[in-house]
Amino acid sequence: MSALEQGPAAGATRHSLTSVGIDTYGDVPVTSVIDRTGQTIGLLVGTVIDIDGGVLSGGVQFDGFATFADINEVVERCIYPLTGSFVFIVDIAGCRRIYLDADGSLSVVYDPETGRAGSTAMTLLDEGEYWQRLQTDMHGALGVGQSGWFTADITAHVGIRRLICNHCLDLDDWTAHRHWPTEPIQPATDPATVFAGVLDRVGKTVATLADAKEVSIALTAGIDSRFVLAATRSLIDRVSFVTVAAPAAKLDVVSARELAHRFGLRHDVLPYRGATPEQAEAWQIRAGHCITGANMTMHPSVEPLRGRYFVGGLGGEVGRGFLWLKADADTPIDARGIVDRLKLPRHPQVIAAVERWLEPIAHFDTLLKLDLAYLELRMSSWAFADAYANPVRTELHPMISRANFTAMLSVPPELRRSGAIFREAISRSWPELLALPINRYGDWRDASKRAIDLAANPGRAVRKIKQMVLTGPGSA
């Protein structure tokens, strides 16, 4: 993405707005956004879903962009009712910006010096620059080769910054600004009804995808997987379910097979295929050297899912206060405390980046700050840094939407902390699903699994203990 005069990249398809050129590769969907005068004022790049109108293609018209006082308000009203996995670029008089979907599931990085934005660092740098600007020391200091990542707006390359969700990028001065939320989330007066709405929207999103082409849904032992399954109860004859038989996924395979057997699901267990060193290196470059992890080593396993929609359950943890450990609304928190909760080292660049991130939300209570830290500093910059690295380019997570996140954040803390609100929603939709344990075998194998996990990854236990110590009273 660059100024029109820079010309298209080699092998790319150029999409031209008034002053901005967007280059795409392959068959990535592109939808024109048109105002009421018929003028194209922006593009939606990626898979965009209107749960009342289908998967968008070609063009979509919104009246609000013809005249506006606050572009963020118009984008919130017109774009964020949509779900899916997308980037929105608007180019109108006096306003050129990039917005991400509700969790930034399609990565965007940018170079303010050259005035260019792209999917990953490899799209902005030539091969020599890529390796020259790679911050190898910081890569090691953050433990990216194990379970660390580059959080907030920092990346593995000097001068390349990440756009994180709920922030838009101004293409005139190349600065990023928060556009949501601008005020605290109003608490729900009827949490059960609010969460029933989440379940309904998840089901409608999957149904919309199933109307367009084949859909496979990830099936695991977790609560979010069970929630998505409950939401798609009426669709089980139209979709299939898959589980990857990864070395660390034995519980998931056992649980998924039992669910499939009991409830008549079409289910496939995909054999584990480890990446070769060459495949792993290529994957890491496509992810901009910002993360590694299981997806890097096992991504060939999901090759059979190419050409279909692959639906997962990411996004639900924000509804359970993932970073809330030993915190309440009034617990003091600062950048160091947030970094500790993310289980990242207190590297000076990381602390500085999180301090910058905190400034605009200093007036929010601690629980909302931690919720936004999960969405933006973990999910947006960790879970989706590899958005272009994996074989399945149409991976979607229907819990990710503005409406769903607003609903989750509105639920009282006591219901979120316990996870009861998820179980209640599942119980109302498909109570029999709760007969099988969540994230457990439900017998002697649970104790054996804990011992095996500890022996296989003692560092994780150490980090968890350290996190619990650091996030105790007075740690902020």
Side-chain angles (χ1 to χ4, degrees):
M1 192 177 311
S2 59
L4 284 176
E5 59 267 22
Q6 291 182 325
T13 299
R14 167 59 61 98
H15 308 269
S16 298
L17 296 175
T18 302
S19 61
V20 177
I22 298 96
D23 296 338
T24 61
Y25 298 85
D27 57 354
V28 60
V30 177
T31 302
S32 298
V33 177
I34 303 164
D35 70 14
R36 68 177 178 222
T37 70
Q39 179 183 359
T40 298
I41 53 86
L43 291 180
L44 285 158
V45 181
T47 302
V48 188
I49 303 163
D50 177 350
I51 59 175
D52 296 316
V55 178
L56 298 184
S57 63
V60 59
Q61 180 175 326
F62 296 112
D63 291 342
F65 287 96
T67 58
F68 64 90
D70 181 349
I71 187 64
N72 288 337
E73 187 276 330
V74 175
V75 171
E76 200 65 39
R77 176 162 41 87
C78 295
I79 301 300
Y80 283 102
L82 303 170
T83 186
S85 184
F86 61 84
V87 174
F88 174 54
I89 306 100
V90 61
D91 182 7
I92 51 182
C95 182
R96 305 187 305 165
R97 296 185 183 181
I98 302 174
Y99 294 81
L100 306 177
D101 65 43
D103 206 3
S105 64
L106 284 187
S107 163
V108 169
V109 297
Y110 60 100
D111 185 344
E113 290 298 317
T114 62
R116 297 175 66 225
S119 53
T120 68
M122 64 176 287
T123 63
L124 302 181
L125 306 173
D126 62 32
E127 184 176 358
E129 287 180 304
Y130 185 96
W131 296 109
Q132 182 182 10
R133 292 169 67 171
L134 183 63
Q135 303 183 86
T136 53
D137 289 348
M138 192 174 180
H139 193 277
L142 296 182
V144 177
Q146 290 76 50
S147 57
W149 71 96
F150 286 82
T151 192
D153 65 350
I154 57 177
T155 74
H157 290 83
V158 174
I160 304 297
R161 306 184 74 173
R162 180 176 301 283
L163 181 63
I164 55 176
C165 69
N166 303 326
H167 295 69
C168 60
L169 178 62
D170 190 318
L171 298 179
D172 290 315
D173 62 13
W174 290 90
T175 58
H177 307 275
R178 176 177 293 280
H179 63 86
W180 186 90
T182 57
E183 57 188 24
I185 306 298
Q186 292 299 308
T189 56
D190 184 0
T193 299
V194 165
F195 235 73
V198 176
L199 196 82
D200 180 62
R201 284 187 292 272
V202 170
K204 285 182 176 179
T205 299
V206 177
T208 301
L209 293 173
D211 287 340
K213 65 179 177 182
E214 188 175 357
V215 173
S216 290
I217 302 175
L219 192 59
T220 71
I223 185 70
D224 294 328
S225 178
R226 206 72 57 94
F227 187 87
V228 173
L229 177 56
T232 56
R233 181 175 189 176
S234 64
L235 305 171
I236 60 171
D237 60 339
R238 299 176 57 198
V239 300
S240 62
F241 297 83
V242 294
T243 310
V244 177
K250 291 181 180 178
L251 171 58
D252 288 328
V253 171
V254 169
S255 180
R257 280 177 166 157
E258 181 61 23
L259 286 166
H261 174 72
R262 288 198 189 190
F263 303 109
L265 312 179
R266 288 190 293 134
H267 177 240
D268 293 316
V269 176
L270 301 180
Y272 176 76
R273 291 175 52 202
T276 66
E278 293 78 16
Q279 287 173 321
E281 182 182 27
W283 185 98
Q284 195 170 13
I285 292 171
R286 291 195 298 272
H289 272 79
C290 288
I291 55 168
T292 56
N295 283 348
M296 182 182 75
T297 56
M298 67 176 283
H299 69 272
S301 305
V302 297
E303 285 279 357
L305 301 179
R306 278 186 184 272
R308 68 181 77 176
Y309 291 123
F310 178 41
V311 171
L314 294 182
E317 286 178 322
V318 73
R320 296 190 295 280
F322 186 79
L323 294 179
W324 285 8
L325 181 67
K326 300 171 72 173
D328 57 35
D330 299 319
T331 300
I333 195 74
D334 64 5
R336 292 179 305 149
I338 288 174
V339 170
D340 292 339
R341 288 173 183 273
L342 293 170
K343 293 187 273 191
L344 291 171
R346 292 182 175 182
H347 189 283
Q349 283 193 51
V350 172
I351 296 296
V354 176
E355 285 176 343
R356 291 193 302 271
W357 172 85
L358 264 175
E359 287 177 8
I361 57 172
H363 57 296
F364 290 166
D365 70 44
T366 292
L367 295 185
L368 182 53
K369 290 175 184 175
L370 292 175
D371 289 332
L372 294 175
Y374 175 76
L375 275 174
E376 300 169 15
L377 306 184
R378 180 177 168 104
M379 292 296 291
S380 190
S381 56
W382 167 73
F384 300 118
D386 67 353
Y388 310 95
N390 294 315
V392 184
R393 301 300 170 85
T394 49
E395 180 177 332
L396 299 154
H397 301 273
M399 276 197 275
I400 293 176
S401 75
R402 177 73 83 240
N404 288 344
F405 286 156
T406 301
M408 292 179 194
L409 294 173
S410 75
V411 171
E414 60 272 15
L415 291 177
R416 294 176 60 200
R417 200 184 296 268
S418 67
I421 195 72
F422 282 85
R423 291 177 180 272
E424 290 172 5
I426 294 169
S427 180
R428 286 191 299 273
S429 175
W430 200 347
E432 294 83 1
L433 294 181
L434 295 177
L436 287 177
I438 305 290
N439 279 327
R440 295 185 299 111
Y441 291 103
D443 56 30
W444 61 269
R445 290 173 292 182
D446 291 318
S448 176
K449 181 179 183 299
R450 285 192 294 270
I452 292 171
D453 290 346
L454 179 60
N457 192 1
R460 185 176 186 276
V462 171
R463 288 193 302 275
K464 184 67 175 178
I465 293 169
K466 179 182 177 183
Q467 179 200 39
M468 294 178 71
V469 172
L470 288 171
T471 54
S475 67

